[in-house]
Amino acid sequence: MTATAVPALPATGADPFSHEVLEDPLPLHEQLRAAGPVVYLSRYDTYALARYEEVRSALVDWQDFSSAAGVGLANFRHEEPWRPPSLLLEADPPRHDAPRRVLTTVLGPRALRRLREDWHADAEALVDAVLAGGRTFDAATALAGAFPLRVFPDAVGLPAEGRENLLPYGDHAFNAFGPPNDLVAKGSPRVAELSAWVASRCAREALTDDGFGAQIWAAADRGDITPAMAPLVVRSLLTAGVDTTVHGISAVLYAFATHPEQWQRLRAEPELARVAFDEAVRWESPVQTFFRTATRDVEVGGVVVPDGRKILMFLAAANRDPRRWTDPDAFDLSRDPSGHVGFGFGIHQCVGQHVARLEAEALMTALAARVERIELAGPPRRHHNNTLRAFASIPLRVTPA
Ligand code: OVM
Protein backbone atom coordinates (compact mmCIF):
# COMPACT_ATOMS: atom_id res chain seq x y z
CA MET A 1 0.00 0.00 0.00
CA THR A 2 1.31 3.42 -0.85
CA ALA A 3 0.48 6.47 1.17
CA THR A 4 0.09 9.76 -0.68
CA ALA A 5 1.30 12.67 1.40
CA VAL A 6 -1.63 15.05 1.81
CA PRO A 7 -0.55 18.21 3.60
CA ALA A 8 -2.67 18.77 6.68
CA LEU A 9 -4.85 21.86 6.67
CA PRO A 10 -3.85 24.05 9.60
CA ALA A 11 -6.82 25.44 11.49
CA THR A 12 -7.49 28.24 13.92
CA GLY A 13 -10.49 29.23 15.99
CA ALA A 14 -9.41 32.87 15.95
CA ASP A 15 -12.01 35.49 15.02
CA PRO A 16 -10.55 38.05 12.59
CA PHE A 17 -13.61 40.24 13.24
CA SER A 18 -13.39 40.31 17.04
CA HIS A 19 -12.67 43.63 18.72
CA GLU A 20 -9.40 42.28 20.06
CA VAL A 21 -8.14 41.48 16.55
CA LEU A 22 -9.56 44.67 15.03
CA GLU A 23 -7.67 46.67 17.66
CA ASP A 24 -4.39 44.98 16.68
CA PRO A 25 -4.57 42.51 13.78
CA LEU A 26 -0.81 42.06 13.38
CA PRO A 27 -0.42 39.04 15.73
CA LEU A 28 -3.19 37.15 13.91
CA HIS A 29 -1.63 37.99 10.54
CA GLU A 30 1.71 36.61 11.71
CA GLN A 31 0.02 33.48 13.07
CA LEU A 32 -1.85 32.88 9.80
CA ARG A 33 1.24 33.39 7.60
CA ALA A 34 3.23 31.00 9.79
CA ALA A 35 0.51 28.32 9.88
CA GLY A 36 0.67 27.57 6.15
CA PRO A 37 -0.32 28.71 2.67
CA VAL A 38 -4.01 28.04 3.49
CA VAL A 39 -5.56 28.09 6.95
CA TYR A 40 -9.03 26.91 7.97
CA LEU A 41 -11.00 29.45 10.02
CA SER A 42 -13.16 27.08 12.06
CA ARG A 43 -15.30 29.81 13.56
CA TYR A 44 -16.68 30.77 10.14
CA ASP A 45 -16.10 27.46 8.32
CA THR A 46 -14.06 29.32 5.69
CA TYR A 47 -10.49 29.37 4.42
CA ALA A 48 -7.86 32.06 4.75
CA LEU A 49 -4.87 33.17 2.64
CA ALA A 50 -2.36 35.44 4.36
CA ARG A 51 0.92 34.99 2.46
CA TYR A 52 1.76 37.46 -0.32
CA GLU A 53 2.25 34.92 -3.11
CA GLU A 54 -1.00 33.06 -2.44
CA VAL A 55 -3.07 36.22 -1.92
CA ARG A 56 -1.77 37.82 -5.10
CA SER A 57 -2.21 34.66 -7.19
CA ALA A 58 -5.76 34.15 -5.94
CA LEU A 59 -6.68 37.79 -6.65
CA VAL A 60 -5.40 37.41 -10.21
CA ASP A 61 -7.27 34.10 -10.67
CA TRP A 62 -10.80 35.48 -10.87
CA GLN A 63 -12.01 32.33 -12.63
CA ASP A 64 -11.34 30.06 -9.64
CA PHE A 65 -11.81 32.71 -6.94
CA SER A 66 -15.04 34.39 -7.95
CA SER A 67 -16.48 37.70 -6.77
CA ALA A 68 -20.00 37.12 -8.10
CA ALA A 69 -21.17 35.31 -4.94
CA GLY A 70 -20.18 38.42 -2.97
CA VAL A 71 -16.84 39.50 -1.52
CA GLY A 72 -18.12 39.33 2.03
CA LEU A 73 -18.77 36.34 4.23
CA ALA A 74 -22.40 36.15 3.08
CA ASN A 75 -22.68 33.82 0.11
CA PHE A 76 -25.10 35.20 -2.48
CA ARG A 77 -25.59 31.66 -3.78
CA HIS A 78 -27.49 30.99 -0.54
CA GLU A 79 -28.21 34.34 1.14
CA GLU A 80 -29.90 37.56 0.13
CA PRO A 81 -27.48 40.51 -0.14
CA TRP A 82 -28.31 43.54 2.08
CA ARG A 83 -28.48 45.69 -1.09
CA PRO A 84 -28.46 44.92 -4.82
CA PRO A 85 -24.91 43.70 -5.55
CA SER A 86 -22.32 46.09 -6.96
CA LEU A 87 -21.92 45.74 -10.73
CA LEU A 88 -18.15 45.99 -10.32
CA LEU A 89 -17.08 44.55 -6.99
CA GLU A 90 -19.55 41.71 -6.80
CA ALA A 91 -19.44 40.54 -10.42
CA ASP A 92 -17.17 38.48 -12.67
CA PRO A 93 -16.44 38.92 -16.36
CA PRO A 94 -18.16 39.37 -18.70
CA ARG A 95 -20.78 41.30 -16.64
CA HIS A 96 -18.11 43.13 -14.68
CA ASP A 97 -16.27 44.50 -17.70
CA ALA A 98 -18.47 47.25 -19.19
CA PRO A 99 -19.03 49.10 -15.90
CA ARG A 100 -15.36 48.65 -15.08
CA ARG A 101 -14.30 50.19 -18.40
CA VAL A 102 -16.56 53.19 -17.78
CA LEU A 103 -15.06 53.90 -14.36
CA THR A 104 -11.53 53.27 -15.62
CA THR A 105 -12.02 56.19 -18.01
CA VAL A 106 -14.05 58.46 -15.70
CA LEU A 107 -11.52 58.07 -12.84
CA GLY A 108 -8.40 57.72 -14.96
CA PRO A 109 -5.25 59.87 -14.85
CA ARG A 110 -6.36 61.87 -17.92
CA ALA A 111 -9.69 62.78 -16.33
CA LEU A 112 -8.02 63.79 -13.08
CA ARG A 113 -5.69 66.29 -14.73
CA ARG A 114 -8.35 68.99 -14.65
CA LEU A 115 -8.86 68.47 -10.88
CA ARG A 116 -5.23 68.55 -9.88
CA GLU A 117 -4.74 72.30 -9.51
CA ASP A 118 -8.02 72.78 -7.63
CA TRP A 119 -7.35 69.93 -5.24
CA HIS A 120 -3.87 71.21 -4.41
CA ALA A 121 -5.36 74.66 -3.72
CA ASP A 122 -8.12 73.10 -1.58
CA ALA A 123 -5.52 71.15 0.39
CA GLU A 124 -3.48 74.30 0.99
CA ALA A 125 -6.58 76.16 2.19
CA LEU A 126 -7.56 73.32 4.53
CA VAL A 127 -4.08 72.99 6.03
CA ASP A 128 -3.85 76.77 6.49
CA ALA A 129 -7.21 76.82 8.26
CA VAL A 130 -6.28 73.91 10.55
CA LEU A 131 -2.90 75.47 11.42
CA ALA A 132 -4.59 78.81 12.13
CA GLY A 133 -6.56 76.97 14.82
CA GLY A 134 -3.47 76.01 16.79
CA ARG A 135 -0.58 73.57 17.00
CA THR A 136 -2.56 70.60 18.24
CA PHE A 137 -5.56 69.09 16.51
CA ASP A 138 -7.14 65.76 15.70
CA ALA A 139 -5.68 64.74 12.34
CA ALA A 140 -8.23 61.93 11.88
CA THR A 141 -11.09 64.42 11.79
CA ALA A 142 -9.55 67.80 10.91
CA LEU A 143 -7.46 66.53 7.97
CA ALA A 144 -8.25 62.92 6.99
CA GLY A 145 -11.97 63.20 7.66
CA ALA A 146 -12.29 66.66 6.17
CA PHE A 147 -10.29 66.63 2.95
CA PRO A 148 -11.96 63.82 0.96
CA LEU A 149 -15.37 65.24 1.90
CA ARG A 150 -14.22 68.62 0.71
CA VAL A 151 -13.16 67.51 -2.77
CA PHE A 152 -14.67 64.13 -3.72
CA PRO A 153 -18.45 64.75 -3.47
CA ASP A 154 -17.99 67.93 -5.54
CA ALA A 155 -16.07 65.95 -8.15
CA VAL A 156 -18.86 63.36 -8.29
CA GLY A 157 -21.38 66.18 -8.72
CA LEU A 158 -23.29 65.63 -5.50
CA PRO A 159 -25.35 68.48 -4.04
CA ALA A 160 -24.39 69.59 -0.50
CA GLU A 161 -27.49 68.27 1.24
CA GLY A 162 -27.00 64.97 3.06
CA ARG A 163 -23.27 64.57 2.51
CA GLU A 164 -22.91 63.67 6.17
CA ASN A 165 -24.55 60.35 5.19
CA LEU A 166 -21.60 59.26 3.07
CA LEU A 167 -19.24 58.11 5.83
CA PRO A 168 -21.87 56.17 7.84
CA TYR A 169 -23.13 54.50 4.65
CA GLY A 170 -19.62 53.45 3.62
CA ASP A 171 -18.79 52.35 7.14
CA HIS A 172 -21.79 50.04 7.11
CA ALA A 173 -21.03 48.73 3.62
CA PHE A 174 -17.53 47.73 4.75
CA ASN A 175 -18.86 46.21 7.99
CA ALA A 176 -21.36 44.21 5.97
CA PHE A 177 -18.56 42.20 4.30
CA GLY A 178 -17.88 40.62 7.68
CA PRO A 179 -20.04 38.34 9.83
CA PRO A 180 -23.33 39.66 11.26
CA ASN A 181 -21.67 40.82 14.47
CA ASP A 182 -22.21 43.84 16.75
CA LEU A 183 -20.61 46.19 14.19
CA VAL A 184 -23.24 45.26 11.62
CA ALA A 185 -26.01 45.47 14.23
CA LYS A 186 -24.83 48.97 15.15
CA GLY A 187 -25.32 50.15 11.55
CA SER A 188 -28.59 48.35 10.90
CA PRO A 189 -31.07 50.92 12.29
CA ARG A 190 -30.00 53.46 9.65
CA VAL A 191 -29.50 51.14 6.67
CA ALA A 192 -32.90 51.77 5.07
CA GLU A 193 -32.65 55.54 5.45
CA LEU A 194 -29.01 55.75 4.27
CA SER A 195 -29.60 53.38 1.34
CA ALA A 196 -32.61 55.41 0.24
CA TRP A 197 -30.58 58.62 0.38
CA VAL A 198 -27.70 57.10 -1.61
CA ALA A 199 -30.08 55.64 -4.20
CA SER A 200 -31.80 59.01 -4.62
CA ARG A 201 -28.41 60.71 -5.26
CA CYS A 202 -27.54 58.30 -8.08
CA ALA A 203 -30.28 59.56 -10.43
CA ARG A 204 -29.21 61.70 -13.36
CA GLU A 205 -31.37 64.63 -12.21
CA ALA A 206 -29.76 64.58 -8.75
CA LEU A 207 -26.24 65.13 -10.12
CA THR A 208 -24.56 68.23 -11.55
CA ASP A 209 -23.81 68.05 -15.26
CA ASP A 210 -20.02 68.26 -14.97
CA GLY A 211 -18.98 65.57 -12.49
CA PHE A 212 -18.03 61.88 -12.45
CA GLY A 213 -21.73 61.07 -12.00
CA ALA A 214 -22.74 62.94 -15.16
CA GLN A 215 -19.92 61.20 -17.05
CA ILE A 216 -21.28 57.82 -15.99
CA TRP A 217 -24.71 58.84 -17.28
CA ALA A 218 -23.09 60.06 -20.51
CA ALA A 219 -21.55 56.60 -20.90
CA ALA A 220 -25.07 55.17 -20.66
CA ASP A 221 -26.22 57.62 -23.36
CA ARG A 222 -23.43 56.32 -25.61
CA GLY A 223 -24.48 52.74 -24.96
CA ASP A 224 -21.26 51.78 -23.12
CA ILE A 225 -23.48 50.61 -20.23
CA THR A 226 -27.27 50.34 -20.05
CA PRO A 227 -29.29 53.14 -18.42
CA ALA A 228 -30.28 50.65 -15.71
CA MET A 229 -26.61 50.20 -14.80
CA ALA A 230 -25.76 53.88 -14.44
CA PRO A 231 -27.22 54.47 -10.95
CA LEU A 232 -25.45 51.41 -9.59
CA VAL A 233 -22.13 52.56 -11.03
CA VAL A 234 -22.64 55.96 -9.38
CA ARG A 235 -23.46 54.07 -6.18
CA SER A 236 -20.06 52.35 -6.35
CA LEU A 237 -18.36 55.77 -6.22
CA LEU A 238 -20.44 56.83 -3.23
CA THR A 239 -19.81 53.54 -1.42
CA ALA A 240 -16.14 52.96 -2.06
CA GLY A 241 -14.79 56.49 -2.52
CA VAL A 242 -15.08 58.19 0.85
CA ASP A 243 -14.25 55.99 3.88
CA THR A 244 -11.36 54.38 2.00
CA THR A 245 -9.62 57.66 1.25
CA VAL A 246 -10.36 59.06 4.73
CA HIS A 247 -8.71 56.05 6.35
CA GLY A 248 -5.90 55.92 3.80
CA ILE A 249 -5.04 59.53 4.55
CA SER A 250 -5.24 58.79 8.30
CA ALA A 251 -2.79 55.96 7.69
CA VAL A 252 -0.17 58.17 6.05
CA LEU A 253 -0.59 60.88 8.70
CA TYR A 254 -0.18 58.32 11.50
CA ALA A 255 2.83 56.80 9.74
CA PHE A 256 4.61 60.17 9.58
CA ALA A 257 3.60 61.14 13.13
CA THR A 258 5.34 57.99 14.36
CA HIS A 259 8.34 58.17 11.97
CA PRO A 260 9.89 61.65 12.34
CA GLU A 261 12.93 60.80 10.20
CA GLN A 262 10.60 59.88 7.31
CA TRP A 263 8.86 63.26 7.73
CA GLN A 264 12.21 65.02 7.34
CA ARG A 265 12.76 63.00 4.19
CA LEU A 266 9.39 64.11 2.79
CA ARG A 267 10.14 67.71 3.74
CA ALA A 268 13.38 67.54 1.76
CA GLU A 269 11.83 65.68 -1.18
CA PRO A 270 8.11 66.55 -1.37
CA GLU A 271 7.83 64.69 -4.67
CA LEU A 272 7.90 61.56 -2.47
CA ALA A 273 4.31 62.32 -1.34
CA ARG A 274 2.87 59.80 -3.79
CA VAL A 275 5.19 56.95 -2.93
CA ALA A 276 4.67 57.80 0.75
CA PHE A 277 0.96 57.26 0.33
CA ASP A 278 1.45 53.89 -1.37
CA GLU A 279 3.93 52.88 1.32
CA ALA A 280 1.34 53.83 3.96
CA VAL A 281 -1.31 51.82 2.11
CA ARG A 282 1.07 48.84 2.16
CA TRP A 283 2.05 49.37 5.79
CA GLU A 284 -1.42 49.98 7.21
CA SER A 285 -3.71 48.39 4.59
CA PRO A 286 -6.82 50.57 5.10
CA VAL A 287 -8.81 47.79 3.38
CA GLN A 288 -7.71 44.72 5.33
CA THR A 289 -9.58 41.84 3.74
CA PHE A 290 -11.94 40.68 1.03
CA PHE A 291 -13.53 37.29 0.48
CA ARG A 292 -13.70 35.26 -2.70
CA THR A 293 -15.70 32.09 -3.45
CA ALA A 294 -14.21 28.94 -4.97
CA THR A 295 -15.89 28.05 -8.27
CA ARG A 296 -14.53 24.47 -8.21
CA ASP A 297 -12.33 22.35 -5.97
CA VAL A 298 -9.22 24.57 -6.12
CA GLU A 299 -5.81 23.44 -4.97
CA VAL A 300 -3.69 25.95 -3.05
CA GLY A 301 -0.39 24.88 -1.54
CA GLY A 302 -1.35 21.20 -1.77
CA VAL A 303 -4.68 21.73 -0.01
CA VAL A 304 -8.07 21.63 -1.73
CA VAL A 305 -10.52 24.45 -1.13
CA PRO A 306 -13.88 22.86 -2.02
CA ASP A 307 -16.25 24.30 -4.63
CA GLY A 308 -18.55 27.00 -3.26
CA ARG A 309 -16.47 27.75 -0.17
CA LYS A 310 -15.51 31.24 0.97
CA ILE A 311 -11.84 32.23 1.13
CA LEU A 312 -10.71 35.28 3.08
CA MET A 313 -7.86 37.22 1.44
CA PHE A 314 -5.75 38.99 4.06
CA LEU A 315 -4.43 41.93 2.02
CA ALA A 316 -2.90 43.41 5.16
CA ALA A 317 -1.02 40.20 6.03
CA ALA A 318 0.28 39.88 2.46
CA ASN A 319 1.47 43.48 2.60
CA ARG A 320 3.73 42.63 5.54
CA ASP A 321 4.80 39.15 4.48
CA PRO A 322 8.57 38.87 5.11
CA ARG A 323 8.70 36.35 2.22
CA ARG A 324 8.05 39.32 -0.08
CA TRP A 325 9.12 42.47 1.81
CA THR A 326 12.42 43.34 3.44
CA ASP A 327 11.81 44.62 6.98
CA PRO A 328 8.02 44.59 6.30
CA ASP A 329 7.01 46.40 9.50
CA ALA A 330 9.13 49.46 8.65
CA PHE A 331 7.41 52.49 7.09
CA ASP A 332 10.19 53.50 4.74
CA LEU A 333 10.14 55.98 1.85
CA SER A 334 13.28 54.34 0.43
CA ARG A 335 11.39 51.19 -0.42
CA ASP A 336 9.52 50.54 -3.66
CA PRO A 337 6.05 49.60 -2.39
CA SER A 338 4.72 48.78 -5.86
CA GLY A 339 3.22 45.32 -5.97
CA HIS A 340 1.48 45.80 -2.63
CA VAL A 341 -2.05 44.41 -2.58
CA GLY A 342 -3.56 47.22 -0.52
CA PHE A 343 -5.61 48.25 -3.56
CA GLY A 344 -6.18 44.60 -4.41
CA PHE A 345 -4.70 43.06 -7.55
CA GLY A 346 -5.97 41.86 -10.92
CA ILE A 347 -9.24 42.79 -12.59
CA HIS A 348 -10.87 44.21 -9.44
CA GLN A 349 -7.90 46.30 -8.36
CA CYS A 350 -9.19 49.63 -7.00
CA VAL A 351 -10.48 51.65 -9.93
CA GLY A 352 -10.35 54.81 -7.79
CA GLN A 353 -6.70 54.51 -6.84
CA HIS A 354 -5.65 57.52 -8.94
CA VAL A 355 -8.27 59.63 -7.17
CA ALA A 356 -7.02 58.42 -3.78
CA ARG A 357 -3.40 59.16 -4.70
CA LEU A 358 -4.24 62.64 -5.94
CA GLU A 359 -6.11 63.45 -2.72
CA ALA A 360 -3.29 62.17 -0.53
CA GLU A 361 -0.59 63.81 -2.61
CA ALA A 362 -2.35 67.20 -2.48
CA LEU A 363 -2.82 67.07 1.27
CA MET A 364 0.64 65.75 2.15
CA THR A 365 2.36 68.22 -0.17
CA ALA A 366 0.51 71.11 1.45
CA LEU A 367 1.36 69.82 4.93
CA ALA A 368 5.03 69.17 4.14
CA ALA A 369 5.43 72.74 2.86
CA ARG A 370 3.99 74.19 6.08
CA VAL A 371 5.01 71.90 8.93
CA GLU A 372 8.53 71.30 10.23
CA ARG A 373 7.68 68.56 12.76
CA ILE A 374 4.67 66.37 13.41
CA GLU A 375 4.26 64.13 16.44
CA LEU A 376 1.54 62.40 18.37
CA ALA A 377 0.07 64.62 21.08
CA GLY A 378 -1.68 61.68 22.76
CA PRO A 379 -2.68 58.09 22.11
CA PRO A 380 -4.50 57.53 18.82
CA ARG A 381 -7.83 55.72 19.01
CA ARG A 382 -8.86 53.07 16.51
CA HIS A 383 -12.25 52.93 14.82
CA HIS A 384 -13.28 49.29 14.47
CA ASN A 385 -14.75 48.08 11.20
CA ASN A 386 -15.03 44.51 9.87
CA THR A 387 -13.03 45.41 6.75
CA LEU A 388 -11.31 48.74 7.29
CA ARG A 389 -8.30 49.57 9.44
CA ALA A 390 -9.31 52.97 10.67
CA PHE A 391 -8.82 55.67 13.26
CA ALA A 392 -11.38 57.50 15.35
CA SER A 393 -8.73 59.95 16.56
CA ILE A 394 -5.08 60.87 15.89
CA PRO A 395 -4.07 63.70 18.25
CA LEU A 396 -1.25 65.60 16.54
CA ARG A 397 1.13 68.33 17.62
CA VAL A 398 2.83 70.21 14.80
CA THR A 399 5.61 72.77 14.58
CA PRO A 400 4.91 75.19 11.75
CA ALA A 401 7.80 75.66 9.32
C1 OVM B 1 -18.90 49.03 -4.84
C2 OVM B 1 -17.70 48.87 -3.98
C3 OVM B 1 -16.44 48.76 -4.54
C4 OVM B 1 -15.31 48.61 -3.75
C5 OVM B 1 -15.45 48.56 -2.39
C6 OVM B 1 -16.69 48.67 -1.84
C7 OVM B 1 -17.94 48.89 0.15
C8 OVM B 1 -17.83 48.82 -2.62
O1 OVM B 1 -18.78 48.87 -6.05
O2 OVM B 1 -19.99 49.31 -4.31
O3 OVM B 1 -16.77 48.60 -0.49
Side-chain angles (χ1 to χ4, degrees), residues 83 85-90 170 173-174 177 232-233 235-237 239-240 244 290:
R83 60 174 196 168
S86 161
L87 300 180
L88 287 110
L89 184 71
E90 295 155 330
F174 280 98
F177 294 128
L232 280 174
V233 177
R235 194 194 68 178
S236 285
L237 294 189
T239 310
T244 47
F290 271 124

Side-chain angles (χ1 to χ4, degrees), residues 166-288:
L166 289 167
L167 274 170
Y169 180 77
D171 193 55
H172 183 76
F174 280 98
N175 274 329
F177 294 128
N181 59 12
D182 60 314
L183 290 167
V184 174
K186 176 192 75 175
S188 295
R190 293 195 67 200
V191 168
E193 166 217 340
L194 293 172
S195 297
W197 179 82
V198 167
S200 75
R201 301 299 82 180
C202 296
R204 187 203 292 267
E205 312 73 54
L207 297 156
T208 63
D209 58 15
D210 59 353
F212 298 147
Q215 289 161 34
I216 290 165
W217 277 102
D221 293 341
R222 287 192 304 269
D224 297 344
I225 51 171
T226 68
M229 290 175 172
L232 280 174
V233 177
V234 177
R235 194 194 68 178
S236 285
L237 294 189
L238 301 184
T239 310
V242 183
D243 301 64
T244 47
T245 47
V246 166
H247 301 311
I249 290 170
S250 276
V252 71
L253 290 166
Y254 172 70
F256 279 117
T258 53
H259 295 76
E261 76 295 345
Q262 299 299 318
W263 183 253
Q264 289 319 315
R265 179 100 198 261
L266 179 68
R267 292 258 304 146
E269 297 167 76
E271 61 283 357
L272 290 175
R274 253 168 197 264
V275 81
F277 179 63
D278 269 89
E279 171 64 351
V281 170
R282 181 199 68 80
W283 186 69
E284 183 77 353
S285 299
V287 176
Q288 294 268 294

